[in-house]
Structure formats: structure tokens, C-alpha cells
Amino acid sequence: MNTSQRFEVRIDRLLAKGRAVLETHSPNPPGFVSFPKLEHGAFTEWRAQSLSLLTNLLGADHVYVASFRQEVEGRFASSVKAGLGILKAVHEDLEDGFLTDLQTLVSAEVFTDFLAMAGHLLAREYKDAAASLCGAVLEEGLRRMATNRGVKVGARDDLSALNQKLAAKGVYTRLVQKRLAVWTDVRNAADHGRFSEYSKTDVTEMHTGVSSFLAQHLT
């Protein structure tokens, strides 16, 4: 089951849970005029889990997340029905491939796996293979960042060119650009067999730095 399918399954469960929340209302006492409220615990649990999923999937600023926060406030049937409508819309967009942020999420998931592999290589003293792998992950991460931010890049743009273009567009600072240039030098040395030009410590710092950089910027 891929990432998109896991989210679809989770949304299906939240849709079922939301419908169950609608069944928790109790009639008002005789002579009491008010909208009947839903059971507090069930409503709060469903709302919190739904918001968590939407935020993890789409980011806190996405229109679906903002709509859910706004529409699903009080413990009323109308609030839950509005939330169910939003969850259904997200499920439909996932199925149709319209949630582009998910592609970034999948990329980040894959990058984490490859960086973990690089960490295992380092632990086994394979610094050269680890350096090449970290460099490849960084290059693909920069390419993904450029695509997400509308920075035009060519198929032949290498790690150095991507770094220069993103820094020029203000995606990150010149200081960060210099740090990435150091990692680029290590990667290039590894790819061209110049293994004596860097140490295991250099690769370890690169591995830690690339992991932190992508976690911060690949959004």
C-alpha cells in the first residue's frame, strides 16, 4: 500500500467515525429549546484526529485545513456534516491525483529512506558510497524544491547549478548556499574517485546537514 492509499484508508475511517459522532446526540429535555449537542469526547477525538491528518497531509495553511478549522467548531450536527464534506473532498482529490503536496510528502519519505541507507554505509566505514548517496538525495531534493517554487531548471542542471538558482531566487540564504557548496564538493570528489580529498568526518557532517536541510526546506 503506497502513501496515497494509506491516507485514503485513514480518511475512510475518519468518515465512518464522523458518522458515528452524529449518532451521539441526545434529545433536549422537555421545555428546553436549543440545538442538541453531540457527545463531547467522541466529537473532540474525531475533530482532533481529522485535523491531524489534514495538517500532516496538506500543511497547516492549506484551504482544506483552514475550512475544517472554521466549520468544525461547535458540537453540532451541522459542524460534523461540514467536516465530513471536507474529508470527502480531500478523499476525492487524493483519488484523482490533485493534491500536489502529497508528491512532496512521498519524496520526503523516499529521501528519508535513502539517507538512512547512507547512515548505515557510514557506520560500516563506506564513506565514499555514503557521500555519493547523500549528494544524489540533495540534488533530487533541490530539484523538487525548484519545481514546487516555480524556479526554472533544466534537465542538465547539476547540484551546483540548482544551488545557485535557488539561492538567487531567495529560497534560502547565501550562507546556506555556501554550506551546500561544501557538500557539493564532497559529492563531486566521491563521484570522481578523489577519495583522499575528504574524510569520514566530512561525510558525517554532510549526512547530518543534508538531513536537516531537507527536513526544513522540502515543504
Side-chain angles (χ1 to χ4, degrees), residues 104 108 111 138 141-142 144-146 148-149 166 170-173 175-177 179-180 183 209-219:
T104 299
F111 293 160
L138 179 59
L142 293 185
R144 176 67 59 186
M145 287 168 56
N148 291 346
R149 291 164 174 79
L166 287 167
V171 175
Y172 45 76
T173 66
L175 181 61
V176 174
Q177 180 188 11
R179 192 176 305 132
L180 266 63
W183 302 336
V210 170
S211 300
S212 177
F213 172 81
L214 292 179
Q216 180 179 356
H217 293 279
L218 190 61
T219 56

Side-chain angles (χ1 to χ4, degrees), residues 108-128:
E109 192 174 86
V110 172
F111 293 160
T112 299
D113 290 341
F114 278 111
L115 288 170
M117 290 172 57
H120 287 303
L121 289 169
L122 269 172
R124 289 162 176 75
E125 303 299 326
Y126 294 113
K127 72 176 180 68
D128 307 317

